[in-house]
Amino acid sequence: MDTLIKDKVLAVTRQGRTRAESTDWFRVALGLYYLAGLMTKEAIDFKTVDRDFNRFIYHTIGAGHTITSILQFMSGQRVLPVVQSERFMAAFTSTCSDVPRDSIPFLLELNLGVAKNISKLEVDGPLHDWLEAQKLAQKTRDGGAATEGI
């Protein structure tokens, strides 16, 4: 985790209107960077990566929070108000352009799939429903674009 990513996450965090909103925005922005960082062919030293993320989390929002707790937050319905917020999406996409907006549902689904594998529980619920709706909307957009030229 480099200083540029930290600065971008903090810039998004500062745009929250309340402490609670800022903390949630921090969780989601940082979690998206973490998940996007997993999309590599390079070997990942999770012990080192997690230690760096955990240190940043501790220094930013305090004890009791870890990358694990952030990923858990992102696998539940509490993430929905953040990713459905146009203010968050505008702040995130303008500040963190290296994580494409259209990759966010994929990253959340990846995280949800990992949570399912670890817990062995089904992932039904509001987040799963929202992700399915995002997939359907994307298919509709892709299908509409494909037929426009006909």
Side-chain angles (χ1 to χ4, degrees):
M1 163 175 264
D2 62 27
T3 304
L4 184 58
I5 292 173
K6 291 176 184 178
D7 290 344
K8 289 178 180 184
V9 169
L10 291 174
V12 171
T13 301
R14 287 184 196 106
Q15 294 183 54
R17 291 182 178 157
T18 65
R19 180 181 175 102
E21 184 178 72
S22 293
T23 300
D24 289 351
W25 286 22
F26 172 84
R27 288 177 176 137
V28 175
L30 188 65
L32 290 171
Y33 264 108
Y34 181 88
L35 293 166
L38 300 180
M39 301 294 105
T40 179
K41 293 182 180 187
E42 305 292 322
I44 299 172
D45 179 355
F46 282 100
K47 188 174 186 177
T48 301
V49 171
D50 289 359
R51 183 179 60 236
D52 291 344
F53 272 81
N54 286 336
R55 185 176 295 124
F56 177 56
I57 293 163
Y58 177 80
H59 289 294
T60 305
I61 58 175
H65 304 278
T66 63
I67 192 60
T68 302
S69 67
I70 284 175
L71 295 175
Q72 287 172 339
F73 174 87
M74 291 181 60
S75 67
Q77 74 182 47
R78 289 181 53 202
V79 74
L80 287 174
V82 179
V83 296
Q84 291 175 330
S85 165
E86 282 305 316
R87 287 187 315 101
F88 171 80
M89 293 306 292
F92 185 79
T93 56
S94 67
T95 307
C96 307
S97 58
D98 43 335
V99 179
R101 181 183 183 129
D102 61 350
S103 73
I104 292 173
F106 169 78
L107 295 171
L108 291 174
E109 189 168 27
L110 170 72
N111 186 50
L112 199 56
V114 170
K116 177 183 177 182
N117 288 341
I118 291 171
S119 69
K120 305 294 186 225
L121 298 174
E122 286 303 314
V123 293
D124 293 337
L127 178 58
H128 179 263
D129 296 343
W130 182 81
L131 289 168
E132 291 300 314
Q134 297 304 303
K135 281 191 226 176
L136 182 60
Q138 184 62 43
K139 284 181 185 177
T140 302
R141 284 190 299 270
D142 290 348
T147 59
E148 284 178 11
I150 298 178

